[in-house]
Amino acid sequence: MTLQENKEFMNMIENHPIFSGASAAEFRSLLDRCDLKAYRKNEKVLYAKSPREGLLLILEGITEVCVQTGTSRENREVLEVLEAGEMVGFSSLADFLGEPNPHEDSVTVEVHSLEPSVCLHIPYEVLESRWHDEDVREYVLRQVAVRLREIYSSLAEQVKLANQWGESDPFIRRVQDLMNEPALTINQDTPVDEVARTMVEAGTSSILVTGKEEELLGIITEKDLVQRVVSAGEGNKKTAGETATLELVTIQRHAYYYEAMSSFLMHRVKHLPVVDENRRPVGMVTLSDLLRKKNRGQFNIIQEIESSNAETLPDVKHAIYSVLGNLIQDGMPAFHIMEAITTLYDRLVYHCVEMAAEEVRKEHGEPPVTFAFFLMGSAGRREQFLLTDQDHFLVYDDPEEGGEEKADTYFKTLGEKITSWMEHAGYKLCDGGMMASFPAWRGNLSSWKKRLRSWGLRATNENILLGHNFLSLRFLYGDERLHDRFTGLVADQLEKSRIFLYRAAEEEKQNPVPTLDQPIRALFRMKKEMLDIKLNVLFPFHHSLQILSAKYGMIEGTPKQQIERLTEEKVFSERFADELQFAYEVILHIRVSQAWKAHMQGEKASSKIYFRKMKTRDKEELMLALKTIRSLQNQLASSYGMP
């Protein structure tokens, strides 16, 4: 059906303030310049870094405007939720009005569809054609004013809630709670002798250099003064701007403690300036500040951090293990441990992919098409603590006709180099070959479509196992648009191959989680002295969540996110969701504690737990967790009509 044939949409557009005052001929002309687009649930409508070329009128559905708050795609804050009849894009009106933009990268928001949506893209040329109409100008001004009021109210509410809840766990405290403030700054035009005098008077080894708008430009350290001024014999000739180190690693004031720690770890810096959203310095944090304010005493990772670079990549693993050991010693909840450590590993893997991509670029030039790199397994689920084996795959766009061989060769090399760098960093090679270095785990969109279709048509036990590992996917590096196209392709294939999900659900029903209903002492008479926590508990938990999520069109997401989304969809009750979260925490706690203990004792890692070695409370919590996961399996079976 065309736009003109949809009377409801046409009526909405004709009566909208931007179009309502136009003549019939002018309206048709304006409409011809607009573009109607439909979006699936959870599809990205606008990308953060894409240029804004107009406004978006929502004709059907609900969308959310959000901003990315961390390195992970899942870390985003919702600014506003918009429904049919409302518009997106007022924040970019300054560009339309010709206001100069002092910011190099000011487009930071993105728009997602919360449910299937239809939007009309209205280019600025249409708005310009109607700008002479006083009613149009009044409408735009009113919308901007209302939107600004709502956003401020939302921000105030978030600040209030944050203060009410607080953040008692030291490792998830915000940087603004740990930094030294105010930041010691000096203007870029200040003579270098005055810079040195200011540093001496303040008793500090560094000072931040700012520009005319008080934006951060660089940093001067004692080492900079010695090397660039004293040893060079420059004396008073230089200014602060000429002496400063300009390439800086910074951090936002609202970032978490572990994000600051990972910045020190991955970038090998000694000072971390803290900036606000306008890149104005508000404080400074150093590694010693973090350690002192954590009150850890001896924390022997400085050597590893200082030497962590491309050549000494294996050292990073030991530094991360030091952080992990302290988190476990502090009794941090398993969820927080996983979140903190996975963030560090994400940066490590991201760094490996970057180095691999740079190597290939030097040897073979720029990539022939865009690509996306995905993690699977425990890394995909954000369950990393000790380094595991590699689980990842590579997707690249379909090349133009005749370019297939070149693209295949290019990304074969890239997949092999990524695998090699990760192995150098401490990740073991996957025994099953589930890595981008293997042909079965890389390919263009068309080849992935065929691969997924073959899994769906031949739902063998082997293909179901491959599918389970695949459905733990998480995007880490590459082109976001390609990522979205790929996950859309996956959703379409699963929709067309429902037998695959049915067979997977059937497998779960045939392999129920043991429910230890009897008292623990009775287990010995039944010869049940141990349980494989990974094989018999975690895998059924993950598989059940993945199948249910896929059934409802959710392709990506950690277990925690899957539970939240299935609760929103009314698949789970609030009470059952809480029980699942508790069960997950219990299993993760047992898994982390046992694996870390084995690591510290130099023993081979094992996922088997022995009841005789468990504390009574841990046994009781385990029994409750197993019952909950068994209930999850039963609910999965019921959703597919299995008795």
Side-chain angles (χ1 to χ4, degrees), residues 330-530:
D330 282 357
M332 291 284 288
F335 279 144
H336 292 324
I337 292 176
M338 297 294 189
E339 182 67 26
I341 298 303
T342 299
T343 297
L344 300 184
Y345 284 136
D346 277 357
R347 298 194 180 214
L348 174 59
V349 176
Y350 193 97
H351 188 50
C352 289
V353 178
E354 276 190 322
M355 290 189 289
E358 182 60 27
E359 267 193 305
V360 180
R361 193 176 290 113
K362 287 179 180 178
E363 296 174 9
H364 302 281
E366 293 297 323
V369 290
T370 58
F371 69 94
F373 176 78
F374 293 81
L375 296 170
M376 297 185 293
S378 59
R381 294 187 296 266
R382 296 189 67 84
E383 290 178 356
Q384 292 268 275
F385 52 104
L386 293 176
L387 273 184
T388 58
D389 58 357
Q390 300 188 40
D391 267 316
H392 49 76
F393 65 91
L394 198 60
V395 180
Y396 48 96
D397 204 354
D398 290 327
E400 294 182 359
E401 187 175 351
E404 293 86 353
E405 186 176 347
K406 179 182 177 181
D408 292 348
T409 301
Y410 190 98
F411 291 107
K412 173 180 182 292
T413 305
L414 178 60
E416 290 171 349
K417 288 191 179 294
I418 290 173
T419 302
S420 177
W421 274 111
M422 288 182 64
E423 184 182 16
H424 186 53
Y427 283 90
K428 297 177 183 177
L429 296 175
C430 175
D431 292 335
M434 296 182 185
M435 301 175 290
S437 54
F438 280 69
W441 293 98
R442 68 170 184 271
N444 57 36
L445 285 175
S446 295
S447 64
W448 272 105
K449 184 176 181 180
K450 292 177 183 176
R451 191 173 296 148
L452 294 169
R453 187 187 298 130
S454 70
W455 290 356
L457 293 175
R458 298 180 63 251
T460 62
N461 289 348
E462 181 181 356
N463 282 347
I464 288 172
L465 286 175
L466 291 176
H468 279 311
N469 201 47
F470 173 78
L471 286 175
S472 63
L473 62 92
R474 182 164 62 88
F475 173 69
L476 183 71
Y477 184 101
D479 187 81
E480 280 206 52
R481 291 177 184 270
L482 179 63
H483 156 264
D484 289 344
R485 289 167 60 198
F486 178 69
T487 51
L489 182 153
V490 175
D492 289 342
Q493 289 303 307
L494 286 175
E495 178 68 25
K496 294 174 182 176
S497 307
R498 288 184 172 271
I499 186 63
F500 179 84
L501 293 179
Y502 181 88
R503 281 281 295 114
E506 199 172 45
E507 279 289 307
E508 290 308 305
K509 178 175 173 57
Q510 293 171 2
N511 295 281
V513 170
T515 56
L516 310 179
D517 296 313
Q518 302 86 359
I520 291 296
R521 61 178 178 272
L523 294 175
F524 295 100
R525 294 197 298 271
M526 298 168 60
K527 304 297 182 184
K528 288 188 178 180
E529 299 182 5
M530 69 85 180

Side-chain angles (χ1 to χ4, degrees), residues 95-295:
D95 297 329
F96 161 69
L97 295 171
E99 289 295 318
N101 186 357
H103 309 291
E104 293 183 4
D105 188 16
S106 60
V107 180
T108 56
V109 300
E110 53 190 33
V111 181
H112 299 253
S113 56
L114 291 180
E115 59 182 44
S117 303
V118 178
C119 301
L120 184 71
H121 288 247
I122 305 173
Y124 284 139
E125 60 178 288
V126 169
L127 187 60
E128 189 173 8
S129 299
R130 298 285 298 134
W131 198 246
H132 66 276
D133 191 316
E134 186 178 343
D135 290 340
V136 172
R137 296 198 301 273
E138 181 182 350
Y139 164 76
V140 171
L141 177 62
R142 188 177 298 277
Q143 288 298 308
V144 171
V146 170
R147 203 68 55 81
L148 186 63
R149 181 186 65 191
E150 291 175 350
I151 290 174
Y152 267 101
S153 298
S154 175
L155 288 173
E157 183 180 0
Q158 290 183 46
V159 170
K160 182 178 179 181
L161 288 173
N163 288 332
Q164 287 176 347
W165 283 102
E167 291 167 343
S168 58
D169 292 321
F171 206 75
I172 57 170
R173 290 175 66 186
R174 303 283 186 175
V175 168
Q176 66 183 9
D177 300 324
L178 305 164
M179 67 186 183
N180 295 306
E181 56 180 332
L184 183 63
T185 63
I186 203 157
N187 187 270
Q188 60 180 335
D189 299 323
T190 305
V192 74
D193 60 337
E194 186 177 334
V195 173
R197 185 164 55 251
T198 303
M199 290 171 64
V200 170
E201 291 174 355
T204 183
S205 61
S206 66
I207 190 168
L208 299 178
V209 180
T210 58
K212 295 180 181 179
E213 302 297 326
E214 298 184 357
E215 77 281 10
L216 179 62
L217 296 180
I219 186 172
I220 296 176
T221 65
E222 290 177 342
K223 184 178 179 181
D224 294 329
L225 291 176
V226 172
Q227 289 184 343
R228 299 173 186 173
V229 180
V230 178
S231 64
E234 294 290 337
N236 298 332
K237 299 177 184 178
K238 285 193 171 185
T239 63
E242 295 168 334
T243 310
T245 297
L246 302 180
E247 295 182 2
L248 280 182
V249 178
T250 62
I251 195 165
Q252 293 283 323
R253 64 186 305 156
H254 298 299
Y256 287 107
Y257 178 99
Y258 60 78
E259 292 181 276
M261 182 66 77
S262 65
S263 292
F264 284 112
L265 185 70
M266 297 306 301
H267 298 289
R268 199 169 175 260
V269 294
K270 295 181 179 179
H271 305 84
L272 197 59
V274 184
V275 296
D276 62 14
E277 59 278 3
N278 297 314
R279 198 174 165 75
R280 295 191 180 97
V282 294
M284 176 74 81
V285 64
T286 66
L287 180 61
S288 58
D289 290 332
L290 297 186
L291 301 183
R292 182 173 62 253
K293 293 184 179 183
K294 278 282 291 174
N295 193 26

